[in-house]
Amino acid sequence: DIQVTQSPSSLSTSLGDRVTITCRASQSISTYLNWYQQKPGEAPKLLIYAASSLQSGVPSRFSGSGSGTDFTLTISSLQPEDFAIYFCQQSYSTLYTFGQGTKLEIK
Amino acid sequence: QVQLVQSGTEVKKPGASVRVSCKASGYTFTSYYIHWVRQAPGQGLEWMGTLNPSGGTTTYAQKLQGRVTMTRDTSTGTVYMELSSLRSEDTAIYYCARGGQEMASAFDIWGQGTMVTVSS
């Protein structure tokens, strides 16, 4: 199976900060990398698909980049509603795998 | 609107089976893959398997092979996930999620989740 490793596992940040989360795949996955946000008690929500495409309705402060094995999710200016857990997922292999998650906490 | 609505909370004893349903609405049921993902308490997301509602074909995670079965009822637009020989490690929230029209697509719509507790 393709492994995806996310870092950091947690991040203490402040409102207005620029945040970057990284995801590394164990082999090249082209741009088959997706990002999800999960808030407590809720189902995950798709933010970015195909590495850099913004899902409809997602604010433009979210962006994604990368290809091959290395990917990033960037939040340009943190808003109160952005404190959540973020997961990456590879869909190159149909044995889909998720990263371990990154929890954004308020500093 | 496009939505997936799942069945309610389940409590089962070790060794039993559980069946969770996921009813789709607002789109053409047979045109999009349905995936099942579970999340143990305080843990990450684990993909369990995929069903193609058009032909009923399935792909399962290796660790669940032999214990998980995914089926669909095209007349009602409902997908079912059955997990047998339950053990305490199966305690989790189970989500269904809509994929794309291709297997490599992201999961764009999620059900609300179904809590399954396995306890003696």
Side-chain angles (χ1 to χ4, degrees), chain A residues 1 32 34 36 38 41-46 48-50 55 87 89 91-92 94-100, chain B residues 35 37 39 43-47 50 59-62 95 102-113:
Chain A
D1 292 6
Y32 293 98
N34 313 301
Y36 300 86
Q38 187 178 33
E42 297 183 6
K45 171 188 172 183
L46 177 64
I48 301 284
Y49 63 94
Q55 176 69 353
F87 295 95
Q89 176 212 28
S91 54
Y92 177 86
T94 54
L95 303 179
Y96 306 90
T97 43
F98 291 87
Q100 307 94 313
Chain B
H35 308 278
V37 175
Q39 187 171 37
Q43 301 301 308
L45 301 170
E46 178 186 17
W47 171 78
T50 300
T59 305
Y60 300 136
Q62 187 172 9
Y95 295 101
E102 300 175 352
M103 285 283 277
S105 300
F107 303 177
D108 67 343
I109 303 294
W110 293 65
Q112 83 275 21

Short mmCIF file of all heavy atoms in Angstrom, two decimals, chain A residues 1 32 34 36 38 41-46 48-50 55 87 89 91-92 94-100, chain B residues 35 37 39 43-47 50 59-62 95 102-113:
data_model
loop_
_atom_site.label_atom_id
_atom_site.label_comp_id
_atom_site.label_asym_id
_atom_site.label_seq_id
_atom_site.Cartn_x
_atom_site.Cartn_y
_atom_site.Cartn_z
N ASP A 1 0.84 -1.20 0.00
CA ASP A 1 0.00 0.00 0.00
C ASP A 1 0.88 1.25 0.00
O ASP A 1 1.99 1.25 0.52
CB ASP A 1 -0.89 0.03 1.25
CG ASP A 1 -1.95 -1.06 1.25
OD1 ASP A 1 -1.91 -1.91 0.34
OD2 ASP A 1 -2.79 -1.05 2.16
N TYR A 32 -2.61 12.95 -7.44
CA TYR A 32 -3.77 12.29 -6.84
C TYR A 32 -3.73 12.42 -5.30
O TYR A 32 -3.66 11.43 -4.56
CB TYR A 32 -3.84 10.83 -7.26
CG TYR A 32 -4.14 10.66 -8.74
CD1 TYR A 32 -3.13 10.42 -9.66
CD2 TYR A 32 -5.46 10.74 -9.19
CE1 TYR A 32 -3.40 10.28 -10.99
CE2 TYR A 32 -5.75 10.60 -10.54
CZ TYR A 32 -4.72 10.37 -11.44
OH TYR A 32 -5.00 10.23 -12.77
N ASN A 34 -5.55 14.58 -2.01
CA ASN A 34 -6.71 15.37 -1.58
C ASN A 34 -6.55 15.78 -0.13
O ASN A 34 -5.88 15.10 0.64
CB ASN A 34 -7.99 14.54 -1.74
CG ASN A 34 -8.05 13.86 -3.10
OD1 ASN A 34 -8.02 14.51 -4.14
ND2 ASN A 34 -8.12 12.52 -3.11
N TYR A 36 -8.69 17.16 3.44
CA TYR A 36 -9.97 17.23 4.12
C TYR A 36 -9.80 17.97 5.45
O TYR A 36 -8.73 17.92 6.07
CB TYR A 36 -10.52 15.83 4.42
CG TYR A 36 -10.74 15.00 3.19
CD1 TYR A 36 -9.70 14.25 2.64
CD2 TYR A 36 -11.99 14.95 2.56
CE1 TYR A 36 -9.89 13.49 1.50
CE2 TYR A 36 -12.19 14.18 1.42
CZ TYR A 36 -11.14 13.46 0.90
OH TYR A 36 -11.33 12.71 -0.24
N GLN A 38 -11.68 18.32 9.28
CA GLN A 38 -12.67 17.71 10.17
C GLN A 38 -12.75 18.50 11.46
O GLN A 38 -11.74 18.70 12.14
CB GLN A 38 -12.35 16.25 10.45
CG GLN A 38 -13.45 15.55 11.24
CD GLN A 38 -13.18 14.08 11.49
OE1 GLN A 38 -12.04 13.66 11.66
NE2 GLN A 38 -14.23 13.27 11.52
N GLY A 41 -16.97 16.26 16.15
CA GLY A 41 -18.35 15.81 16.01
C GLY A 41 -18.92 15.88 14.61
O GLY A 41 -20.11 15.64 14.42
N GLU A 42 -18.08 16.20 13.63
CA GLU A 42 -18.56 16.32 12.26
C GLU A 42 -17.82 15.34 11.35
O GLU A 42 -16.73 14.86 11.66
CB GLU A 42 -18.36 17.75 11.74
CG GLU A 42 -19.14 18.79 12.49
CD GLU A 42 -18.97 20.19 11.89
OE1 GLU A 42 -18.34 20.31 10.82
OE2 GLU A 42 -19.50 21.13 12.50
N ALA A 43 -18.44 15.09 10.19
CA ALA A 43 -17.78 14.29 9.16
C ALA A 43 -16.69 15.13 8.48
O ALA A 43 -16.74 16.36 8.50
CB ALA A 43 -18.80 13.84 8.11
N PRO A 44 -15.70 14.48 7.89
CA PRO A 44 -14.70 15.23 7.13
C PRO A 44 -15.35 15.99 5.98
O PRO A 44 -16.40 15.61 5.46
CB PRO A 44 -13.77 14.13 6.61
CG PRO A 44 -13.93 13.01 7.57
CD PRO A 44 -15.37 13.05 7.97
N LYS A 45 -14.68 17.07 5.58
CA LYS A 45 -15.16 17.92 4.49
C LYS A 45 -14.01 18.07 3.48
O LYS A 45 -12.88 18.38 3.87
CB LYS A 45 -15.56 19.28 5.04
CG LYS A 45 -15.87 20.34 3.99
CD LYS A 45 -16.07 21.69 4.67
CE LYS A 45 -16.20 22.82 3.66
NZ LYS A 45 -16.31 24.15 4.31
N LEU A 46 -14.33 17.87 2.20
CA LEU A 46 -13.32 18.01 1.16
C LEU A 46 -12.97 19.48 0.95
O LEU A 46 -13.85 20.30 0.72
CB LEU A 46 -13.83 17.39 -0.14
CG LEU A 46 -12.91 17.50 -1.37
CD1 LEU A 46 -11.61 16.73 -1.14
CD2 LEU A 46 -13.64 16.99 -2.62
N ILE A 48 -9.57 20.41 -0.87
CA ILE A 48 -8.72 20.47 -2.05
C ILE A 48 -8.69 19.08 -2.68
O ILE A 48 -8.50 18.08 -1.98
CB ILE A 48 -7.27 20.87 -1.69
CG1 ILE A 48 -7.21 22.22 -0.99
CG2 ILE A 48 -6.38 20.83 -2.95
CD1 ILE A 48 -7.39 23.42 -1.88
N TYR A 49 -8.87 19.01 -4.00
CA TYR A 49 -8.73 17.74 -4.70
C TYR A 49 -7.70 17.87 -5.81
O TYR A 49 -7.40 19.00 -6.26
CB TYR A 49 -10.08 17.25 -5.24
CG TYR A 49 -10.72 18.16 -6.26
CD1 TYR A 49 -10.53 17.95 -7.62
CD2 TYR A 49 -11.52 19.23 -5.87
CE1 TYR A 49 -11.11 18.77 -8.55
CE2 TYR A 49 -12.10 20.07 -6.79
CZ TYR A 49 -11.89 19.83 -8.15
OH TYR A 49 -12.46 20.66 -9.08
N ALA A 50 -7.17 16.76 -6.22
CA ALA A 50 -6.13 16.74 -7.27
C ALA A 50 -5.01 17.72 -6.95
O ALA A 50 -4.55 18.47 -7.83
CB ALA A 50 -6.76 17.03 -8.64
N GLN A 55 -12.21 22.88 -3.82
CA GLN A 55 -13.58 22.38 -3.88
C GLN A 55 -14.55 23.56 -3.83
O GLN A 55 -14.30 24.57 -3.15
CB GLN A 55 -13.83 21.41 -2.72
CG GLN A 55 -15.25 20.89 -2.58
CD GLN A 55 -15.67 19.94 -3.69
OE1 GLN A 55 -14.94 19.75 -4.66
NE2 GLN A 55 -16.83 19.34 -3.55
N PHE A 87 -6.58 16.30 7.16
CA PHE A 87 -6.08 15.01 6.68
C PHE A 87 -5.76 15.11 5.19
O PHE A 87 -6.54 15.69 4.43
CB PHE A 87 -7.12 13.90 6.85
CG PHE A 87 -7.48 13.56 8.26
CD1 PHE A 87 -8.58 14.15 8.87
CD2 PHE A 87 -6.74 12.64 8.99
CE1 PHE A 87 -8.94 13.83 10.18
CE2 PHE A 87 -7.08 12.31 10.29
CZ PHE A 87 -8.17 12.91 10.88
N GLN A 89 -5.02 12.61 1.74
CA GLN A 89 -5.44 11.29 1.26
C GLN A 89 -4.91 11.09 -0.15
O GLN A 89 -5.02 11.99 -0.99
CB GLN A 89 -6.97 11.20 1.22
CG GLN A 89 -7.52 9.91 0.65
CD GLN A 89 -8.85 10.13 -0.09
OE1 GLN A 89 -9.12 11.21 -0.62
NE2 GLN A 89 -9.67 9.11 -0.12
N SER A 91 -5.33 9.16 -3.71
CA SER A 91 -6.31 8.41 -4.50
C SER A 91 -5.67 7.89 -5.80
O SER A 91 -6.36 7.57 -6.76
CB SER A 91 -7.55 9.26 -4.79
OG SER A 91 -7.19 10.49 -5.39
N TYR A 92 -4.33 7.82 -5.81
CA TYR A 92 -3.62 7.24 -6.95
C TYR A 92 -3.87 5.73 -7.00
O TYR A 92 -4.14 5.16 -8.05
CB TYR A 92 -2.13 7.54 -6.81
CG TYR A 92 -1.25 6.94 -7.89
CD1 TYR A 92 -1.05 7.62 -9.08
CD2 TYR A 92 -0.61 5.71 -7.69
CE1 TYR A 92 -0.23 7.08 -10.07
CE2 TYR A 92 0.20 5.18 -8.67
CZ TYR A 92 0.39 5.86 -9.85
OH TYR A 92 1.20 5.33 -10.82
N THR A 94 -6.26 2.65 -5.68
CA THR A 94 -7.63 2.50 -5.18
C THR A 94 -7.68 1.78 -3.84
O THR A 94 -8.76 1.47 -3.35
CB THR A 94 -8.49 1.80 -6.23
OG1 THR A 94 -7.88 0.57 -6.60
CG2 THR A 94 -8.66 2.69 -7.45
N LEU A 95 -6.52 1.48 -3.27
CA LEU A 95 -6.41 1.11 -1.86
C LEU A 95 -6.06 2.41 -1.15
O LEU A 95 -4.93 2.65 -0.75
CB LEU A 95 -5.35 0.04 -1.67
CG LEU A 95 -5.53 -1.24 -2.48
CD1 LEU A 95 -4.39 -2.22 -2.22
CD2 LEU A 95 -6.87 -1.91 -2.17
N TYR A 96 -7.09 3.26 -1.03
CA TYR A 96 -6.88 4.63 -0.57
C TYR A 96 -6.24 4.65 0.83
O TYR A 96 -6.56 3.81 1.68
CB TYR A 96 -8.22 5.35 -0.49
CG TYR A 96 -9.02 5.31 -1.77
CD1 TYR A 96 -9.91 4.27 -2.01
CD2 TYR A 96 -8.88 6.29 -2.74
CE1 TYR A 96 -10.65 4.22 -3.18
CE2 TYR A 96 -9.62 6.24 -3.92
CZ TYR A 96 -10.49 5.21 -4.14
OH TYR A 96 -11.21 5.15 -5.30
N THR A 97 -5.40 5.64 1.05
CA THR A 97 -4.80 5.80 2.37
C THR A 97 -4.81 7.28 2.76
O THR A 97 -4.69 8.16 1.91
CB THR A 97 -3.35 5.28 2.43
OG1 THR A 97 -2.65 5.70 1.24
CG2 THR A 97 -3.33 3.76 2.50
N PHE A 98 -4.96 7.49 4.07
CA PHE A 98 -5.01 8.82 4.64
C PHE A 98 -3.75 9.09 5.46
O PHE A 98 -3.17 8.16 6.04
CB PHE A 98 -6.22 8.97 5.57
CG PHE A 98 -7.55 8.96 4.89
CD1 PHE A 98 -8.21 7.77 4.63
CD2 PHE A 98 -8.16 10.14 4.50
CE1 PHE A 98 -9.44 7.75 4.01
CE2 PHE A 98 -9.40 10.15 3.89
CZ PHE A 98 -10.04 8.94 3.63
N GLY A 99 -3.38 10.36 5.54
CA GLY A 99 -2.36 10.76 6.49
C GLY A 99 -2.91 10.69 7.90
O GLY A 99 -4.12 10.51 8.11
N GLN A 100 -2.01 10.84 8.87
CA GLN A 100 -2.39 10.66 10.28
C GLN A 100 -3.16 11.85 10.84
O GLN A 100 -3.76 11.76 11.92
CB GLN A 100 -1.13 10.44 11.12
CG GLN A 100 -0.24 9.33 10.63
CD GLN A 100 0.86 9.84 9.70
OE1 GLN A 100 0.63 10.63 8.78
NE2 GLN A 100 2.08 9.38 9.94
N HIS B 35 -17.76 4.93 -0.99
CA HIS B 35 -16.69 4.41 -0.15
C HIS B 35 -17.15 4.36 1.30
O HIS B 35 -18.01 5.14 1.71
CB HIS B 35 -15.46 5.32 -0.24
CG HIS B 35 -15.01 5.63 -1.63
ND1 HIS B 35 -14.22 4.77 -2.36
CD2 HIS B 35 -15.27 6.69 -2.44
CE1 HIS B 35 -13.99 5.30 -3.56
NE2 HIS B 35 -14.61 6.47 -3.63
N VAL B 37 -15.49 4.58 5.19
CA VAL B 37 -14.32 5.02 5.96
C VAL B 37 -14.71 4.94 7.44
O VAL B 37 -15.83 5.33 7.80
CB VAL B 37 -13.93 6.47 5.59
CG1 VAL B 37 -12.79 6.97 6.46
CG2 VAL B 37 -13.56 6.56 4.11
N GLN B 39 -13.49 5.62 11.69
CA GLN B 39 -12.63 6.43 12.56
C GLN B 39 -12.82 5.97 14.00
O GLN B 39 -13.87 6.21 14.60
CB GLN B 39 -12.97 7.91 12.40
CG GLN B 39 -12.04 8.85 13.13
CD GLN B 39 -12.31 10.30 12.76
OE1 GLN B 39 -13.45 10.71 12.57
NE2 GLN B 39 -11.24 11.09 12.66
N GLN B 43 -8.91 8.80 16.79
CA GLN B 43 -7.92 8.34 15.82
C GLN B 43 -8.16 8.94 14.43
O GLN B 43 -9.04 9.77 14.25
CB GLN B 43 -7.96 6.81 15.74
CG GLN B 43 -7.68 6.11 17.06
CD GLN B 43 -6.33 6.47 17.63
OE1 GLN B 43 -5.30 6.37 16.96
NE2 GLN B 43 -6.31 6.91 18.89
N GLY B 44 -7.35 8.48 13.46
CA GLY B 44 -7.45 8.99 12.11
C GLY B 44 -8.49 8.25 11.28
O GLY B 44 -9.31 7.49 11.81
N LEU B 45 -8.43 8.47 9.98
CA LEU B 45 -9.39 7.90 9.05
C LEU B 45 -8.82 6.65 8.40
O LEU B 45 -7.67 6.63 7.97
CB LEU B 45 -9.73 8.93 7.98
CG LEU B 45 -10.31 10.25 8.50
CD1 LEU B 45 -10.38 11.28 7.38
CD2 LEU B 45 -11.69 10.02 9.10
N GLU B 46 -9.65 5.63 8.31
CA GLU B 46 -9.24 4.35 7.72
C GLU B 46 -10.23 3.98 6.62
O GLU B 46 -11.41 3.77 6.89
CB GLU B 46 -9.20 3.25 8.77
CG GLU B 46 -8.84 1.88 8.22
CD GLU B 46 -8.95 0.78 9.25
OE1 GLU B 46 -9.60 0.96 10.28
OE2 GLU B 46 -8.40 -0.31 9.00
N TRP B 47 -9.73 3.89 5.38
CA TRP B 47 -10.57 3.45 4.27
C TRP B 47 -10.85 1.95 4.42
O TRP B 47 -9.94 1.17 4.69
CB TRP B 47 -9.87 3.72 2.95
CG TRP B 47 -10.55 3.11 1.77
CD1 TRP B 47 -11.66 3.56 1.12
CD2 TRP B 47 -10.15 1.91 1.08
NE1 TRP B 47 -11.99 2.71 0.09
CE2 TRP B 47 -11.08 1.69 0.04
CE3 TRP B 47 -9.11 0.99 1.26
CZ2 TRP B 47 -10.98 0.61 -0.83
CZ3 TRP B 47 -9.01 -0.07 0.38
CH2 TRP B 47 -9.93 -0.27 -0.65
N THR B 50 -14.75 0.05 -1.21
CA THR B 50 -15.44 0.82 -2.24
C THR B 50 -16.45 -0.06 -2.97
O THR B 50 -16.16 -1.23 -3.25
CB THR B 50 -14.43 1.36 -3.26
OG1 THR B 50 -13.48 2.19 -2.58
CG2 THR B 50 -15.11 2.14 -4.37
N THR B 59 -14.29 -3.40 -3.81
CA THR B 59 -12.87 -3.52 -3.45
C THR B 59 -12.80 -3.30 -1.96
O THR B 59 -13.37 -2.31 -1.46
CB THR B 59 -12.01 -2.47 -4.17
OG1 THR B 59 -12.20 -2.56 -5.58
CG2 THR B 59 -10.54 -2.68 -3.84
N TYR B 60 -12.11 -4.20 -1.25
CA TYR B 60 -12.03 -4.10 0.21
C TYR B 60 -10.59 -3.94 0.66
O TYR B 60 -9.65 -4.47 0.04
CB TYR B 60 -12.62 -5.35 0.86
CG TYR B 60 -14.07 -5.63 0.54
CD1 TYR B 60 -14.50 -6.92 0.22
CD2 TYR B 60 -15.03 -4.62 0.55
CE1 TYR B 60 -15.83 -7.19 -0.07
CE2 TYR B 60 -16.36 -4.88 0.26
CZ TYR B 60 -16.75 -6.17 -0.05
OH TYR B 60 -18.07 -6.43 -0.35
N ALA B 61 -10.42 -3.26 1.80
CA ALA B 61 -9.10 -3.20 2.43
C ALA B 61 -8.68 -4.61 2.85
O ALA B 61 -9.51 -5.39 3.36
CB ALA B 61 -9.16 -2.28 3.64
N GLN B 62 -7.42 -4.89 2.65
CA GLN B 62 -6.92 -6.25 2.91
C GLN B 62 -7.19 -6.69 4.35
O GLN B 62 -7.56 -7.84 4.60
CB GLN B 62 -5.43 -6.32 2.61
CG GLN B 62 -4.85 -7.73 2.69
CD GLN B 62 -3.42 -7.80 2.19
OE1 GLN B 62 -2.77 -6.78 1.94
NE2 GLN B 62 -2.91 -9.02 2.06
N TYR B 95 -18.37 6.00 8.32
CA TYR B 95 -18.88 6.98 7.36
C TYR B 95 -19.00 6.34 5.98
O TYR B 95 -18.10 5.58 5.56
CB TYR B 95 -17.91 8.15 7.21
CG TYR B 95 -17.72 9.02 8.43
CD1 TYR B 95 -16.59 8.88 9.25
CD2 TYR B 95 -18.64 10.01 8.76
CE1 TYR B 95 -16.39 9.69 10.35
CE2 TYR B 95 -18.45 10.83 9.87
CZ TYR B 95 -17.32 10.66 10.65
OH TYR B 95 -17.13 11.47 11.74
N GLU B 102 -14.90 8.38 -11.44
CA GLU B 102 -13.69 7.60 -11.64
C GLU B 102 -13.16 7.21 -10.26
O GLU B 102 -13.33 7.94 -9.29
CB GLU B 102 -12.63 8.41 -12.39
CG GLU B 102 -13.08 8.87 -13.75
CD GLU B 102 -12.04 9.76 -14.40
OE1 GLU B 102 -11.06 10.14 -13.74
OE2 GLU B 102 -12.24 10.09 -15.58
N MET B 103 -12.48 6.08 -10.21
CA MET B 103 -11.99 5.59 -8.92
C MET B 103 -10.98 6.54 -8.28
O MET B 103 -10.87 6.58 -7.06
CB MET B 103 -11.34 4.21 -9.11
CG MET B 103 -12.34 3.09 -9.31
SD MET B 103 -13.13 2.61 -7.74
CE MET B 103 -11.90 1.50 -7.06
N ALA B 104 -10.25 7.31 -9.07
CA ALA B 104 -9.19 8.16 -8.52
C ALA B 104 -9.71 9.48 -7.95
O ALA B 104 -8.92 10.30 -7.50
CB ALA B 104 -8.15 8.43 -9.60
N SER B 105 -11.02 9.67 -7.95
CA SER B 105 -11.57 10.95 -7.49
C SER B 105 -11.59 11.05 -5.97
O SER B 105 -11.59 10.04 -5.26
CB SER B 105 -12.99 11.11 -8.03
OG SER B 105 -13.00 11.10 -9.44
N ALA B 106 -11.65 12.28 -5.50
CA ALA B 106 -11.76 12.53 -4.06
C ALA B 106 -13.17 12.20 -3.57
O ALA B 106 -14.09 11.97 -4.35
CB ALA B 106 -11.44 14.00 -3.78
N PHE B 107 -13.33 12.19 -2.24
CA PHE B 107 -14.61 11.88 -1.61
C PHE B 107 -15.31 13.21 -1.30
O PHE B 107 -14.94 13.89 -0.34
CB PHE B 107 -14.40 11.09 -0.32
CG PHE B 107 -13.64 9.80 -0.49
CD1 PHE B 107 -13.34 9.03 0.63
CD2 PHE B 107 -13.23 9.33 -1.72
CE1 PHE B 107 -12.64 7.83 0.52
CE2 PHE B 107 -12.55 8.13 -1.85
CZ PHE B 107 -12.25 7.38 -0.72
N ASP B 108 -16.30 13.58 -2.10
CA ASP B 108 -16.81 14.95 -1.99
C ASP B 108 -18.03 15.13 -1.09
O ASP B 108 -18.28 16.23 -0.60
CB ASP B 108 -17.09 15.54 -3.39
CG ASP B 108 -18.22 14.85 -4.12
OD1 ASP B 108 -18.60 13.72 -3.71
OD2 ASP B 108 -18.73 15.43 -5.10
N ILE B 109 -18.79 14.10 -0.87
CA ILE B 109 -19.97 14.17 0.00
C ILE B 109 -19.87 13.03 1.02
O ILE B 109 -19.59 11.90 0.63
CB ILE B 109 -21.27 14.02 -0.82
CG1 ILE B 109 -21.36 15.09 -1.91
CG2 ILE B 109 -22.49 14.08 0.12
CD1 ILE B 109 -21.49 16.51 -1.39
N TRP B 110 -20.08 13.36 2.29
CA TRP B 110 -19.98 12.37 3.36
C TRP B 110 -21.31 12.24 4.08
O TRP B 110 -22.04 13.24 4.26
CB TRP B 110 -18.91 12.79 4.36
CG TRP B 110 -17.51 12.76 3.81
CD1 TRP B 110 -17.01 13.54 2.81
CD2 TRP B 110 -16.43 11.92 4.23
NE1 TRP B 110 -15.68 13.23 2.57
CE2 TRP B 110 -15.30 12.23 3.43
CE3 TRP B 110 -16.31 10.92 5.19
CZ2 TRP B 110 -14.07 11.59 3.59
CZ3 TRP B 110 -15.08 10.28 5.34
CH2 TRP B 110 -13.97 10.61 4.55
N GLY B 111 -21.60 11.04 4.54
CA GLY B 111 -22.73 10.85 5.44
C GLY B 111 -22.40 11.42 6.81
O GLY B 111 -21.26 11.81 7.08
N GLN B 112 -23.39 11.41 7.68
CA GLN B 112 -23.21 12.03 9.01
C GLN B 112 -22.45 11.13 9.97
O GLN B 112 -22.06 11.57 11.05
CB GLN B 112 -24.58 12.43 9.60
CG GLN B 112 -25.33 11.29 10.30
CD GLN B 112 -26.16 10.43 9.37
OE1 GLN B 112 -25.93 10.38 8.15
NE2 GLN B 112 -27.16 9.75 9.94
N GLY B 113 -22.25 9.88 9.59
CA GLY B 113 -21.54 8.94 10.45
C GLY B 113 -22.48 8.10 11.29
O GLY B 113 -23.56 8.55 11.68
#
